[in-house]
Amino acid sequence: MDLTTVEDTLDIQQLYARYSDAITRKDPETFGSCWSEDAYWLLLGNEFRGKETIVEAYSNSVAGTDFILHLASAPLISINGDMAKVRSQVQEILHFSGGGAMIILANYNDELRKVDGQWLFADRRISVRYSGPFSMDDNSF
């Protein structure tokens, strides 16, 4: 493995870390910085095209939550020049502002593009394996 591949792999891992951190902090600006301008996102059967539309969909989806923990596993990365294919798993725990919580267990299949030296999501598709209630003490919130 050459040094370029090692650097790209580390940069892609940082993209996944930045994305998870942005969701956990409910930070739409950082979340948006993870996407290419013409990105595509397939989320829970809904299709979103373009970074602006994706950030709006994200902002709407977290509006009713007071706590999110987004945990992504180490991604399996295949790099080909300025493109990469990545598979990863995610666990997301959400606590809703009105009470109650849920957990999502899923796989992501992603295509990344290197734009101006930065790896970004170009096509992101989630396959949910489980989504359901999660027991949390509502008094903690």
Side-chain angles (χ1 to χ4, degrees):
M1 184 180 304
D2 65 31
L3 290 179
T4 302
T5 304
V6 171
E7 183 178 345
D8 284 334
T9 299
L10 291 171
D11 288 347
I12 290 169
Q13 289 173 343
Q14 281 297 108
L15 170 66
Y16 280 76
R18 189 170 72 248
Y19 181 87
S20 288
D21 182 64
I23 290 176
T24 297
R25 291 184 303 107
K26 294 172 47 172
D27 177 353
E29 185 175 320
T30 301
F31 177 85
S33 75
C34 297
W35 297 89
S36 66
E37 289 298 326
D38 61 345
Y40 171 83
W41 192 24
L42 178 61
L43 177 68
L44 307 175
N46 299 298
E47 297 182 346
F48 304 98
R49 296 185 186 276
K51 179 163 68 171
E52 187 176 314
T53 301
I54 289 169
V55 172
E56 181 181 344
Y58 157 76
S59 295
N60 290 338
S61 72
V62 301
T65 63
D66 55 16
F67 171 83
I68 301 171
L69 180 63
H70 187 274
L71 304 169
S73 71
L76 181 59
I77 302 165
S78 175
I79 300 170
N80 184 8
D82 285 346
M83 300 295 291
K85 291 190 179 208
V86 183
R87 287 193 315 268
S88 65
Q89 293 72 44
V90 66
Q91 176 180 324
E92 189 169 88
I93 300 168
L94 303 99
H95 187 272
F96 300 101
S97 302
M102 72 178 294
I103 187 169
I104 299 171
L105 305 174
N107 302 95
Y108 267 112
N109 289 295
D110 302 322
E111 293 181 12
L112 279 55
R113 184 180 316 127
K114 194 173 189 179
V115 179
D116 296 329
Q118 183 178 13
W119 286 100
L120 301 170
F121 293 115
D123 188 304
R124 187 143 226 241
R125 298 167 190 244
I126 191 169
S127 297
V128 174
R129 302 300 180 201
Y130 175 79
S131 174
F134 188 76
S135 179
M136 293 179 85
D137 179 1
D138 286 341
N139 295 322
S140 298
F141 297 90

